[in-house]
Amino acid sequence: MKRLNLIAGAAVLAAPFSLQAELDVEKEDLKFGFIKLTDCAPIVMAKELGYFEEEGLYVELEAQANWKVLLDRVISGELDGAHMLAGQPIAATIGFGTEAHIITPYSLDLNGNGITVSNELWETMQAADPVLDSPQPPHPISADSLKDFALERRQAGEPLRMGMVFPVSTHNYELRYWLAASEISPGFYFDPETGTIDRTGQLNADVLLSVTPPPQMPATLASKTIDGYCVGEPWNQQAILRGIGVPVTTNYDIWKNNPEKVFGMTKGWADAHPNTAIAVTKALIRAGKWLDASPENRLEAVKILSRSEYVGADEEVLRNSMTGTFMFQKTDVREMPDFNVFFRYHASYPFYSDAIWFLTQMSRWGQISEPKPDAWYFDVAKKVYRPDIYRKAATLLIEEGYLTEAEVPETDGFKEPTGDFIDGIVYDGRKPNGYIEKFDVGLKPQSSVAATN
Amino acid sequence: MNNLRKLFAFLKAIRLGFLVPVIQLCRGEDPKLQMRLIAQQIVLPLAAIILGLLLWQSLASKINTNLGTFPGPTETWQAYESLQEEARVEALKEKHFNHKQLSRMVRRGGVDSEVGIWLVEDEGVAPEVVTWLAENRPPTRFNEADYAAFLEPVAGEPEPVSEARDMDYVNGLYLAAGKAFKGSETVKVRDYGGKPTYGEQIRKSLWTVFTGFVIASLVAIPIGILCGLNKSIYSALNPFIQVGKPVSPLAWLPLVTLVVVALYEPTEEGLEISFIVSALVVALCSLWPTLVNTAVGVANTDPDHLNVARVLKLSWFSRLFKIILPGSLPLMFTGLRISLGVGWMVLIAAEMLAQNPGLGKFVWDMFQNGSSETLSLIVVACLTIGLIGFFLDTIMGALQTLVSFEEKHSS
């Protein structure tokens, strides 16, 4: 009799509680890694806003000690996916550093990095270029004022030292780009004349670059081990607010709207869990959109990111960059609405041309030592960047009403050529070798001639 | 009288020896001496602690780091309280999550779902409550006020439902479901995957060090006995022991990590690589004192005892288990005690690098956060590590005295 009642009840219940169309995910309990940087925000918010749960995914987030540990743990399967430097999946796939086929269906953000120099170095730059000695010097600040001093120090046998976060990180390429644009050699990984390979990338360097994990940058600068660094937020704002150093430029000035971090997973994992990969991408797209939807959302995100299990820095420090302002000096706080872009300008779509830019820089600095034809660049980009997964996720989101068609770019994967760089050199992703030829400082694809200097 | 002496010995073994004069004073035994002992063993250390705290407070405010001034005892206490508050919120979040899960389980078919039927038939839950669970999803995002508002009774609803609007009750049902549907193919009950609280991190560290210590002991004691019994074996192994002993955990860790990753395939229910790596590093660094002390203990068995054994014509096994091992227990335990101390120290470094979610990772994460609370939280962690180390050493010390007593009785 009881059972009869139950079944009658069920009939009434069945209709209103049918679940929203959920993908049949292969793995429900996931663990993602991240590094304590504000641009892990889409992953954190997808969890905190319940977007992962709505896809039937139960996600645990775990801060990782550094990029190497993070990548190794993704490859070993301890992590299902992670917040990665855009260069990481590419480098891993072509076998520079740890070799593994890593793919990315989602680009986490644009911009978001800065270059900070020590207070002493800033004073030297100001002395070399009096224009900088102002409460609000004109931007962009190039490395021109640094050149003479850097060369002087090199000749004295005590070259300047600067930190970046990983050999294949955006920061490494941006710091190199900034220095090289002022004809300062940041060093090479390969010397075609002698065939020497240098894993530290310091061959023929005017300024020695070395790896320091992002959260330790301010402490390393304060202890005078390095004279400056290029890192993501909040570690530039931390430096100025704590009086350790001065942020001189951001990567927005070095290359407007440059791709920064991606969400990476191994190809093996994505092949074994195709629906899960799409579901994860769906949740990330929604979180990215939420982050760019309003200033209030950003403030809420700042509050959550400041928790000790996420980025953990003080709210005041995080708020600066996340809400579109950036403090260069205590007297120089600027509006930078595009400092952190998570979704606008199709920021989350994995463009092939973004991957190719990183490959061109790897060639430029000798991380890729052999000349490669243009087709090779396209092949690698297609192996690593997976807009197909993004499109499947986006199509489902459009059906569910979370996304509009206009928010998904109509593209063959290549952005239009752009000259939005600090040195004005035009980048066309369709002509990678032609692009590398344009740089004065850097290895040339066809020639065996070493870099200038 | 004899019992009292035993009690005092026990108190001393567990580092409560300062209570002895108090008890003696109560019994009226030589009050003058007892007062002097109390002054020496209780008043003086207490005064030193208070003085230390005052000194800490006054010195701390003079150290300016780029994360603010160094925390004094007050800030440290506040940081400790903030950890408690975090744990409280985390517990609420877990209940909220479990509620969402239970609601989700019954939503697929209401009272007629597998879980719904189980709730009604086995747990005696009113069908209205199951319907309520299915119909009313708690807010997706956790917010203490929102969840409390969600649980507010609604006027005019049936009584069982208003009674069921209790997070502990719902949580209890979910936990019961966890047991009832363990291993079920159709119903998946999952644990809350929130961040580990400070208490959980401490437990993780203790569990890791314990595992490493057990592994170390299982390796070190047999080898130590072999070395003690046979001088040639000892001479042969000695170079390895001397070279292995001073190797820092930081040097072992990359090797151990690579080997574990190569040999071990992590599964969903299995042990985590970071845990295995940390435990193995602890084992590698902490096995040496046990090994050496066991060898020395075994080698120095009283020749008189061995002569007696020979006279009695004891077999080799009896000699080992009745004469040699009992005699070497005190030294063996001294070794174990040192090993555990070393293991605990090594663990923090190992966890930092291997990302095992214990106290070491806590310190590292806080350091990386670089927030204004960073320093005081790290001081809390340092105190915790110190106190736990002291506690572990006390246990081992007590065990050590225990076996030493037995030796006295048997001799």
Side-chain angles (χ1 to χ4, degrees):
Chain A
M1 200 54 221
K2 194 153 107 198
R3 175 55 57 89
L4 218 72
N5 280 341
L6 294 181
I7 290 164
V12 184
L13 280 167
F17 305 115
S18 64
L19 283 171
Q20 161 200 342
E22 240 175 43
L23 280 162
D24 193 7
V25 295
E26 299 85 0
K27 188 173 179 192
E28 295 182 332
D29 298 281
L30 307 174
K31 191 189 226 177
F32 295 151
F34 69 97
I35 296 286
K36 290 177 176 282
L37 289 166
T38 52
D39 51 24
C40 67
I43 309 173
V44 169
M45 294 318 297
K47 176 180 164 80
E48 288 289 329
L49 295 168
Y51 293 161
F52 281 134
E53 258 182 61
E54 284 176 24
E55 298 297 332
L57 303 172
Y58 296 87
V59 173
E60 197 182 324
L61 297 182
E62 197 181 82
Q64 305 297 308
N66 57 56
W67 293 111
K68 166 97 178 109
V69 167
L70 174 137
L71 181 63
D72 287 347
R73 297 186 82 206
V74 170
I75 295 170
S76 76
E78 285 176 271
L79 299 172
D80 295 296
H83 173 214
M84 283 187 189
L85 296 157
Q88 267 184 313
I90 302 167
T93 304
I94 63 172
F96 180 77
T98 320
E99 186 165 1
H101 192 167
I102 309 276
I103 63 154
T104 175
Y106 187 86
S107 166
L108 286 167
D109 64 322
L110 304 180
N111 309 325
N113 296 333
I115 295 177
T116 292
V117 297
S118 67
N119 295 328
E120 294 78 19
L121 196 55
W122 175 237
E123 277 163 26
T124 314
M125 288 171 75
Q126 285 178 320
D129 183 0
V131 177
L132 297 178
D133 194 2
S134 131
Q136 291 185 349
H139 276 201
I141 297 176
S142 74
D144 290 349
S145 58
L146 198 64
K147 190 182 172 190
D148 291 343
F149 185 64
L151 296 181
E152 211 175 280
R153 284 280 296 264
R154 185 192 177 180
Q155 259 140 31
E158 286 176 9
L160 286 174
R161 295 172 178 276
M162 294 186 116
M164 44 83 182
V165 307
F166 203 63
V168 298
S169 69
T170 342
H171 318 81
N172 187 15
Y173 304 125
E174 281 160 4
L175 188 53
R176 283 165 176 274
Y177 203 103
W178 184 67
L179 292 169
S182 299
E183 291 172 337
I184 302 170
S185 163
F188 296 86
Y189 290 85
F190 177 67
D191 183 347
E193 271 185 11
T194 59
T196 320
I197 289 174
D198 178 6
R199 285 285 171 209
T200 58
Q202 296 179 341
L203 286 175
N204 203 9
D206 294 331
V207 175
L208 299 182
L209 306 189
S210 58
V211 170
T212 307
Q216 275 123 272
M217 287 289 187
T220 317
L221 186 67
S223 66
K224 313 238 182 273
T225 312
I226 50 176
D227 305 290
Y229 56 70
C230 179
V231 72
E233 277 315 302
W235 311 115
N236 294 292
Q237 294 299 289
Q238 183 93 282
I240 183 69
L241 284 165
R242 308 233 181 265
I244 303 165
V246 180
V248 284
T249 189
T250 67
N251 59 346
Y252 186 73
D253 279 339
I254 299 171
W255 174 18
K256 268 183 197 64
N257 289 339
N258 60 89
E260 176 52 37
K261 301 288 182 335
V262 296
F263 187 80
M265 50 183 85
T266 63
K267 177 162 188 292
W269 190 92
D271 287 346
H273 310 96
N275 283 341
T276 317
I278 297 171
V280 169
T281 311
K282 277 176 75 186
L284 288 174
I285 295 175
R286 285 181 68 192
K289 183 177 172 177
W290 181 89
L291 277 162
D292 271 8
S294 75
E296 290 75 32
N297 288 0
R298 288 289 183 99
L299 278 177
E300 202 175 335
V302 164
K303 213 173 221 138
I304 289 169
L305 288 172
S306 74
R307 286 201 218 137
S308 66
E309 71 265 37
Y310 297 134
V311 182
D314 292 344
E315 265 186 76
E316 174 203 358
V317 176
L318 292 176
R319 203 181 302 128
N320 266 344
S321 66
M322 279 286 280
T323 54
T325 58
F326 194 86
M327 186 188 279
F328 289 91
Q329 301 184 61
K330 296 257 158 119
T331 51
D332 190 359
V333 180
R334 302 190 185 207
E335 293 285 324
M336 292 197 70
D338 285 344
F339 184 74
N340 262 315
V341 177
F342 294 103
F343 191 72
R344 282 171 286 143
Y345 318 122
H346 304 306
S348 62
Y349 188 86
F351 286 97
Y352 294 137
S353 52
D354 290 348
I356 292 167
W357 187 81
F358 288 102
L359 287 166
T360 63
Q361 299 304 305
M362 290 175 189
S363 290
R364 180 183 180 187
W365 302 117
Q367 292 179 332
I368 298 170
S369 47
E370 301 200 342
K372 304 279 186 189
D374 282 355
W376 178 84
Y377 287 86
F378 308 143
D379 286 347
V380 173
K382 284 177 184 161
K383 258 171 97 176
V384 178
Y385 276 46
R386 294 289 297 274
D388 54 317
I389 299 178
Y390 187 97
R391 284 209 177 272
K392 280 180 197 154
T395 311
L396 288 171
L397 287 174
I398 293 171
E399 279 169 21
E400 290 162 24
Y402 290 120
L403 210 61
T404 63
E405 306 239 358
E407 284 165 333
V408 186
E410 270 181 49
T411 172
D412 60 350
F414 288 87
K415 286 182 185 164
E416 288 310 303
T418 170
D420 273 343
F421 289 84
I422 195 165
D423 54 5
I425 292 176
V426 174
Y427 168 60
D428 181 355
R430 291 182 180 88
K431 295 170 191 153
N433 279 307
Y435 178 62
I436 306 170
E437 291 282 359
K438 294 180 189 168
F439 295 111
D440 287 337
V441 182
L443 302 179
K444 301 283 189 283
Q446 305 304 333
S447 62
S448 61
V449 189
T452 57
N453 254 351
Chain B
M1 201 57 212
N2 198 22
N3 278 343
L4 204 62
R5 201 177 303 136
K6 267 192 183 160
L7 174 71
F8 290 166
F10 175 71
L11 284 177
K12 278 182 188 151
I14 59 167
R15 301 230 171 116
L16 292 175
F18 59 84
L19 289 178
V20 172
V22 181
I23 298 171
Q24 293 285 44
L25 190 70
C26 296
R27 297 177 64 243
E29 228 161 276
D30 195 355
K32 224 175 183 174
L33 172 76
Q34 305 309 336
M35 287 309 284
R36 212 181 68 228
L37 286 175
I38 288 176
Q40 188 191 40
Q41 293 179 4
I42 299 179
V43 181
L44 207 65
L46 271 181
I49 290 174
I50 293 169
L51 201 72
L53 285 175
L54 288 173
L55 204 66
W56 174 13
Q57 182 83 58
S58 67
L59 282 181
S61 57
K62 293 200 176 68
I63 308 176
N64 268 305
T65 72
N66 54 44
L67 290 177
T69 55
F70 196 83
T74 345
E75 290 84 12
T76 306
W77 181 253
Q78 281 162 358
Y80 172 72
E81 282 183 331
S82 80
L83 285 175
Q84 301 262 303
E85 168 66 13
E86 259 177 30
R88 188 189 68 84
V89 173
E90 207 54 31
L92 279 182
K93 273 183 161 176
E94 179 170 356
K95 287 175 187 166
H96 170 251
F97 173 85
N98 289 351
H99 191 152
K100 274 193 294 188
Q101 285 300 303
L102 192 64
S103 162
R104 183 188 156 92
M105 282 175 181
V106 287
R107 211 147 26 98
R108 287 218 151 115
V111 194
D112 204 35
S113 68
E114 200 179 340
V115 178
I117 292 170
W118 167 80
L119 279 172
V120 175
E121 294 193 341
D122 292 19
E123 293 291 296
V125 175
E128 295 93 323
V129 171
V130 178
T131 315
W132 169 72
L133 277 172
E135 282 178 8
N136 296 280
R137 284 179 86 173
T140 316
R141 288 188 67 184
F142 172 79
N143 175 308
E144 211 177 324
D146 289 352
Y147 187 40
F150 170 79
L151 288 171
E152 279 295 311
V154 177
E157 72 184 351
E159 194 158 298
V161 174
S162 38
E163 270 175 27
R165 286 179 179 274
D166 175 63
M167 59 176 97
D168 290 315
Y169 174 70
V170 178
N171 192 43
L173 289 182
Y174 185 74
L175 295 181
K179 287 191 191 113
F181 291 94
K182 197 172 182 188
S184 155
E185 300 232 323
T186 44
V187 178
K188 174 135 198 197
V189 185
R190 57 169 48 78
D191 292 335
Y192 170 62
K195 73 160 188 168
T197 61
Y198 193 55
E200 281 164 6
Q201 282 169 314
I202 293 176
R203 277 196 289 280
K204 182 84 182 181
S205 280
L206 283 172
W207 176 237
T208 312
V209 84
F210 176 73
T211 312
F213 178 65
V214 168
I215 298 172
S217 308
L218 288 178
V219 174
I221 295 176
I223 298 182
I225 294 173
L226 269 180
C227 288
L229 289 175
N230 187 322
K231 275 234 163 70
S232 313
I233 296 183
Y234 193 23
S235 313
L237 288 182
N238 203 29
F240 295 100
I241 298 172
Q242 297 309 330
V243 174
K245 209 162 52 166
V247 177
S248 143
L250 307 180
W252 282 123
L253 200 111
L255 289 178
V256 174
T257 310
L258 290 173
V259 171
V260 170
V261 168
L263 296 181
Y264 178 76
E265 190 74 28
T267 57
E268 238 170 277
E269 277 83 32
L271 297 171
E272 290 185 351
I273 288 180
S274 59
F275 171 79
I276 302 176
V277 170
S278 308
L280 283 181
V281 170
V282 167
L284 273 175
C285 293
S286 71
L287 60 87
W288 311 107
T290 307
L291 203 165
V292 173
N293 275 281
T294 309
V296 173
V298 171
N300 289 350
T301 309
D302 194 333
D304 290 345
H305 292 182
L306 287 177
N307 287 337
V308 173
R310 211 161 290 144
V311 170
L312 292 174
K313 294 205 169 107
L314 287 180
S315 69
W316 185 84
F317 267 101
S318 310
R319 235 187 316 156
L320 182 62
F321 285 102
K322 296 231 159 87
I323 310 281
I324 297 174
L325 285 187
S328 57
L329 271 183
L331 263 180
M332 199 189 290
F333 269 82
T334 311
L336 286 171
R337 182 176 175 182
I338 303 172
S339 280
L340 189 59
V342 170
W344 181 244
M345 269 209 266
V346 164
L347 173 80
I348 304 300
E351 282 184 339
M352 274 190 188
L353 288 168
Q355 299 285 295
N356 187 42
L359 282 168
K361 183 162 162 49
F362 174 85
V363 171
W364 188 246
D365 283 349
M366 291 310 119
F367 173 58
Q368 300 221 320
N369 282 349
S371 82
S372 45
E373 258 204 329
T374 290
L375 290 168
S376 38
L377 285 168
I378 294 179
V379 174
V380 172
C382 287
L383 290 175
T384 316
I385 293 167
L387 286 172
I388 292 175
F390 172 71
F391 181 67
L392 292 177
D393 192 55
T394 307
I395 297 176
M396 289 309 289
L399 285 174
Q400 200 188 344
T401 357
L402 212 69
V403 294
S404 308
F405 282 165
E406 277 174 3
E407 186 210 21
K408 265 180 220 145
H409 287 303
S410 61
S411 60

